[in-house]
């Protein structure tokens, strides 16, 4: 069936913790408004000497250690980001260098905004399944420095985002159903960000339109993954949603009439970290013992592009 087995996860959260009260010193907002509308209490921004590559490196190194694999075991490295430190080399190639991965391991970035980690996972899975990889494992990373593309004069967006990185080492497993769905609907109006270096290279968002898109895309993606796998919601131990707004996740729980405890939420701690949010949540769940070996997880996301998708994996 060539599904995904996770061997190890890691995350790195940058050092500067910024509370809602801190944000209220920058723009006209309040802790109450931010918590009620989004569920966010604080977020973390890169401090001195921290950046996308260093965050991603720390997360990836930890994931490899926990997976018990060395560089020679990595057959491909895919990083999801739209805020890499450089245009080139890609984040994945920087990791390739820092981790000493073998020359036979292709390494590249994907940009599918907040759905990036799911696209990166699927690219890695397909490569392992289709090719003749020199090594059996893939290193998949989601890492963003959204503080770099945040307009700190716009209260409707700046309170939402955070920086961070998450990583997973995966391999194929015949006993795990392969059930990925990915989709796109090109639209540069509701959510966009000019390239870094361009004038006003900030995230622009029509929050209400994105909200409407999200509450439609999440349940559809979850149903599509379950259908493809021939499973029901009861067969899945945890749903790991992209963390964009706690109200979006609550809406999906109500719509699916699903048990609330199946849906992990950590947006209160990190805000929306785009491509990093799903692997950060995954790592936290494993570390806290919420997600345990042998359990089946359904990951689901949506984001700029517009993009959406979901996949199934087993720990
Ligand atoms: O990763 C994917 C990217 N993004 C998303 O998933 C975001 C999806 N959208 C959302 O999460 C929500 O739409 C937001 C959190 C962005 C906004 O929440 P909302 O309930 O849709 O609020 P709104 O935009 O309708 O604004 C309501 C009011 C407005 O004031 P008036 O016109 O009612 O007087 C805003 O000006 O809240 C005001 N407002 C704020 N007030 C205090 C907007 N931002 C703030 C703020 N603090 N930070």
């Amino acid at each position: 069936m060539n599904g995904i087995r996770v061997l190890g996860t890691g995350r790195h959260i940058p050092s500067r913790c910024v509370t809602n009260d801190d944000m209220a010193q920058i723009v006209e907002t309040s802790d109450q408004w931010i918590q009620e509308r989004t569920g966010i209490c604080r977020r973390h921004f890169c401090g001195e000497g921290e950046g996308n590559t260093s965050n991603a490196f720390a997360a990836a190194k930890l994931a490899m250690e926990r997976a018990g694999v060395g560089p020679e075991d990595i057959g491909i490295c895919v990083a999801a980001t739209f805020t890499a430190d450089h245009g080139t080399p890609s984040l994945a190639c920087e990791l390739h260098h820092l981790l000493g991965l073998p020359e036979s391991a292709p390494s590249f970035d994907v940009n599918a905004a907040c759905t990036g980690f799911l696209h990166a996972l699927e690219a890695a899975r397909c490569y392992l399944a289709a090719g003749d990889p020199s090594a059996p494992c893939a290193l998949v990373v989601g890492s963003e420095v959204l503080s770099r593309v945040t307009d700190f004069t716009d209260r409707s967006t700046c309170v939402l985002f955070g920086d961070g990185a998450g990583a997973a080492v995966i391999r194929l497993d015949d006993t795990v159903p392969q059930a990925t769905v990915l989709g796109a609907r090109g639209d540069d109006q509701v959510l966009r960000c000019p390239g870094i270096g361009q004038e006003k290279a900030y995230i622009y968002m029509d929050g209400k339109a994105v909200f409407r898109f999200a509450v439609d895309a999440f349940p559809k993606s979850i149903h599509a993954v379950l259908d493809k796998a021939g499973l029901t919601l009861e067969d899945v131990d945890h749903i790991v949603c992209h963390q964009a707004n706690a109200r979006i996740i609550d809406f999906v729980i109500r719509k699916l009439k699903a048990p609330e405890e199946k849906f992990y939420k950590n947006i209160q701690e990190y805000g929306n970290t785009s491509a990093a949010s799903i692997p950060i949540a995954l790592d936290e769940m494993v570390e806290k013992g919420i997600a345990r070996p042998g359990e089946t997880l359904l990951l689901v996301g949506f984001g700029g592009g517009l993009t959406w998708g979901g996949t199934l994996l087993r720990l």
Side-chain angles (χ1 to χ4, degrees), residues 27-30 33-34 37-38 114 155-157 159-161 191 205-208 210-211 214 242-245 247-248 272 274 302-304:
V27 285
E28 199 183 328
T29 189
S30 66
W33 190 96
I34 301 171
R37 299 290 177 125
T38 70
C114 305
R155 70 176 182 172
S156 71
T157 54
V159 300
L160 305 174
F161 303 116
L191 184 48
M205 189 171 69
D206 176 345
K208 280 199 184 306
V210 177
F211 199 102
H242 166 51
Q243 307 283 312
N245 187 326
R247 281 165 50 219
I248 295 177
N272 176 350
S274 191
F302 71 92

Side-chain angles (χ1 to χ4, degrees), residues 1-249:
M1 291 204 273
N2 282 338
I4 298 169
R5 169 82 60 177
V6 175
L7 303 181
T9 60
R11 70 179 186 281
H12 183 80
I13 307 302
S15 58
R16 236 182 95 215
C17 178
V18 178
T19 65
N20 290 346
D21 287 335
D22 294 331
M23 293 306 297
Q25 306 287 318
I26 304 171
V27 285
E28 199 183 328
T29 189
S30 66
D31 178 47
Q32 189 186 354
W33 190 96
I34 301 171
Q35 283 207 46
E36 280 179 8
R37 299 290 177 125
T38 70
I40 298 167
C41 299
R42 60 193 73 80
R43 70 289 291 143
H44 300 254
F45 292 148
C46 286
E48 192 74 21
E50 292 175 313
N52 196 324
T53 302
S54 59
N55 293 343
F57 172 58
K61 195 163 166 283
L62 195 56
M64 286 175 60
E65 280 165 16
R66 287 175 172 165
V69 302
E72 68 284 359
D73 300 310
I74 303 294
I76 181 169
C77 170
V78 189
T81 188
F82 73 98
T83 53
D85 289 342
H86 312 291
T88 191
S90 64
L91 173 59
C93 279
E94 296 209 80
L95 294 174
H96 185 282
H97 169 67
L98 292 168
L99 294 164
L101 301 185
E103 283 192 14
S104 53
S107 299
F108 57 89
D109 291 357
V110 300
N111 172 354
C114 305
T115 328
F117 186 73
L118 300 180
H119 286 71
L121 265 181
E122 184 60 4
R125 190 197 66 77
C126 289
Y127 181 79
L128 294 181
D132 180 20
S134 54
C137 301
L139 173 63
V140 185
V141 176
S143 181
E144 303 284 11
V145 181
L146 296 183
S147 57
R148 222 176 242 167
V149 289
T150 298
D151 179 356
F152 285 99
T153 66
D154 174 11
R155 70 176 182 172
S156 71
T157 54
C158 74
V159 300
L160 305 174
F161 303 116
D163 302 340
V169 175
I170 63 158
R171 67 175 298 162
L172 298 184
D173 188 326
D174 278 351
T175 67
V176 182
Q178 186 280 308
T180 302
V181 293
L182 298 172
R185 189 180 78 215
D187 182 326
D188 66 354
Q189 292 305 302
V190 301
L191 184 48
R192 67 172 181 272
C193 180
I196 289 174
Q198 288 183 40
E199 207 183 332
K200 295 194 175 157
Y202 300 131
I203 297 170
Y204 162 84
M205 189 171 69
D206 176 345
K208 280 199 184 306
V210 177
F211 199 102
R212 281 195 298 274
F213 163 65
V215 296
D216 181 53
F218 262 164
K220 268 191 195 160
S221 300
I222 291 171
H223 281 307
V225 171
L226 292 173
D227 286 351
K228 199 166 177 182
L231 299 178
T232 67
L233 206 52
E234 286 72 44
D235 300 317
V236 172
D237 296 294
H238 306 278
I239 310 259
V240 188
C241 296
H242 166 51
Q243 307 283 312
N245 187 326
R247 281 165 50 219
I248 295 177
I249 300 176

